[in-house]
Amino acid sequence: MQRYGVLVVDDSAVMRKYIGLLIEKDPQLFVAGIARNGIEAIEKVQMLKPDIVTMDIEMPEMDGMTALQEIMKICSVPVIMLSNQTDKDPALAFKAMELGAVDFYLKGQLLSNDAEPEVVKDFLERLKAVAENARKKSEGGWLKKVNSESVSKMIDDILKSPGIEKEPTTKNVVDLLIIGCSTGGPAALQSTLPYFSKDTRVPILVIQHMPPGFTRALAERFDTFCNLRVKEAENGDILEPGKIYIAPAGFQTTLYRRQDGKVGLKVQESFDEKILYKPSVDITLNSAAPIYKERLLAVILTGMGNDGLEGCRAVKRYNGHVIVEAEESCVVYGMPKAVYEAGLADIQVPLPHILNSIKLYI
């Protein structure tokens, strides 16, 4: 059994104890060490070489943000931010991920007496998935490297696929783009969304797993530097070309055809306790596939689990198109892997090639 060492960084002895007890609930995880501030964290990362780090944001002497920047300079260990502050200022969480953090969690969600078991389980599973992926990268244990030559071949394969004209243009194949992602998603989205041109002719709907309250801040942040208008999706929104919609956390977002022929969004609470993710990529894709049929493109980026698998199955059932992110650029190769191994992906490419692959369709 593979085991992964976690460095716990927090200025509170009580928090370090609670976080440590939480981590060691999973037999595959163990506390490799502790640090009381950012300065100690930098020293311990180099000395202990943990598989993953949990980092508090607010600490004396050196805060978590500063320590994160320094750690990213000296090694590639994944860092997950834990904080009580991000619920008040989600911009802190997004700033941390821009600096290199792979994910963030609110301490209140994990360490309170009434913490939901599914949330705690999800946290531990993410720790293991991120650590496993990072160790695999450091050991060079990839099953297949995708170089520029193989990427060119895969893109050429798309050009030869049914329904796509190579001359004079390959565009205008789809009328809607849906992007699904989870762990590592905000950084992946930042490598993609800002680079859509102002003349993009299709709506873009993003399904990103996040805590409630964060998707509005995410949309507002992207709206400041994207060429396209970005907003958090609201119940009753009509999909408009050249606009990016971020599905709100805590709800399920589905599509429906209005009497006037336009497509609208329903944003509703989900009462199905079996559905862990709110929003769920599966639920959104399942509603979109019968509406757009072969005119739908689904893109599955980094993320843990298999949300998107059943949705992509529906997309392909209606002759739509699917792109997935390749293993070597994923923070966690879970969601894309599930779709790829099920034979549902038209193409699998690393993150730097995702945008060009999308542009073949839109």
Side-chain angles (χ1 to χ4, degrees):
M1 179 178 67
Q2 288 273 7
R3 299 193 75 214
Y4 305 103
V6 185
L7 175 64
V8 178
V9 185
D10 201 296
D11 62 307
S12 166
V14 173
M15 286 294 104
R16 292 195 301 270
K17 178 182 177 182
Y18 284 158
I19 294 168
L21 290 172
L22 184 65
I23 287 168
E24 296 199 338
K25 285 183 176 182
D26 193 299
Q28 284 190 266
L29 298 171
F30 66 95
V31 177
I34 60 170
R36 295 169 293 182
N37 55 53
I39 295 173
E40 285 190 10
I42 296 169
E43 295 173 352
K44 295 287 182 71
V45 161
Q46 297 176 84
M47 181 173 63
L48 301 174
K49 294 182 169 44
D51 292 294
I52 193 166
V53 177
T54 64
M55 178 90 71
D56 187 22
I57 289 181
E58 296 294 327
M59 293 182 293
E61 296 189 55
M62 181 186 286
D63 63 33
M65 294 292 217
T66 305
L68 174 64
Q69 293 180 74
E70 294 303 312
I71 289 171
M72 291 300 102
K73 291 177 184 177
I74 61 177
C75 65
S76 58
V77 62
V79 178
I80 290 183
M81 307 302 288
L82 299 182
S83 179
N84 287 323
Q85 297 298 316
T86 47
D87 57 342
K88 300 176 183 177
D89 187 6
L92 279 175
F94 303 136
K95 180 64 176 176
M97 285 186 284
E98 288 174 9
L99 294 174
V102 298
D103 209 345
F104 64 89
Y105 267 86
L106 303 179
K107 289 181 182 177
Q109 288 185 319
L110 296 170
L111 305 174
S112 63
N113 292 330
D114 57 350
E116 296 181 13
E118 286 301 319
V119 173
V120 173
K121 179 182 177 183
D122 180 65
F123 170 69
L124 296 175
E125 291 295 328
R126 288 199 191 201
L127 281 181
K128 290 187 293 184
V130 170
E132 179 184 20
N133 220 50
R135 184 180 291 183
K136 190 183 293 185
K137 287 182 180 180
S138 67
E139 294 173 351
W142 300 108
L143 295 176
K144 179 181 178 183
K145 290 286 185 182
V146 179
N147 54 36
S148 58
E149 183 179 344
S150 61
V151 168
S152 297
K153 181 182 182 302
M154 284 188 284
I155 290 178
D156 191 54
D157 288 341
I158 289 182
L159 296 176
K160 295 175 183 177
S161 63
I164 299 182
E165 298 289 339
K166 188 168 184 178
E167 296 293 345
T169 178
T170 61
K171 295 187 178 182
N172 301 335
V173 175
V174 301
D175 293 326
L176 175 66
L177 166 61
I178 296 180
I179 301 175
C181 46
S182 184
T183 311
L189 292 172
Q190 189 159 322
S191 298
T192 306
L193 296 184
Y195 303 101
F196 284 100
S197 63
K198 292 182 179 179
D199 60 355
T200 299
R201 51 165 289 280
V202 304
I204 300 170
L205 177 57
V206 175
I207 314 298
Q208 163 71 55
H209 299 161
M210 298 191 100
F214 279 71
T215 42
R216 181 175 295 275
L218 181 69
E220 291 172 352
R221 191 170 184 82
F222 273 114
D223 191 49
T224 63
F225 52 77
C226 285
N227 292 315
L228 303 178
R229 173 87 167 85
V230 185
K231 72 181 296 288
E232 184 182 49
E234 298 177 80
N235 189 47
D237 275 348
I238 306 302
L239 290 180
E240 298 177 20
K243 185 176 286 189
I244 300 172
Y245 303 82
I246 309 289
F251 300 88
Q252 299 298 354
T253 298
T254 56
L255 288 71
Y256 68 101
R257 179 78 71 180
R258 301 188 344 158
Q259 289 186 343
D260 61 6
K262 295 179 180 179
V263 177
L265 297 178
K266 287 184 180 179
V267 177
Q268 300 172 310
E269 290 188 15
S270 173
F271 299 101
D272 189 340
E273 297 299 326
K274 296 180 182 179
I275 300 174
L276 175 61
Y277 300 113
K278 303 173 185 179
S280 163
V281 183
D282 281 334
I283 287 178
T284 300
L285 287 178
N286 275 320
S287 69
I291 296 174
Y292 284 90
K293 299 183 172 65
E294 74 278 1
R295 307 288 297 181
L296 174 62
L297 172 60
V299 176
I300 306 299
L301 302 178
T302 175
M304 190 190 73
N306 64 0
D307 187 27
L309 172 60
E310 294 307 316
C312 285
R313 209 181 297 281
V315 172
K316 298 308 294 181
R317 187 162 58 247
Y318 286 95
N319 300 314
H321 312 273
V322 176
I323 297 172
V324 300
E325 183 179 352
E327 183 177 9
E328 54 265 43
S329 62
C330 286
V331 172
V332 178
Y333 186 53
M335 290 165 57
K337 179 182 180 181
V339 174
Y340 181 75
E341 292 190 344
L344 301 172
D346 295 296
I347 184 172
Q348 176 176 235
V349 293
L351 184 62
H353 297 279
I354 288 287
L355 183 63
N356 284 337
S357 299
I358 291 172
K359 286 181 177 179
L360 293 172
Y361 294 91
I362 66 173

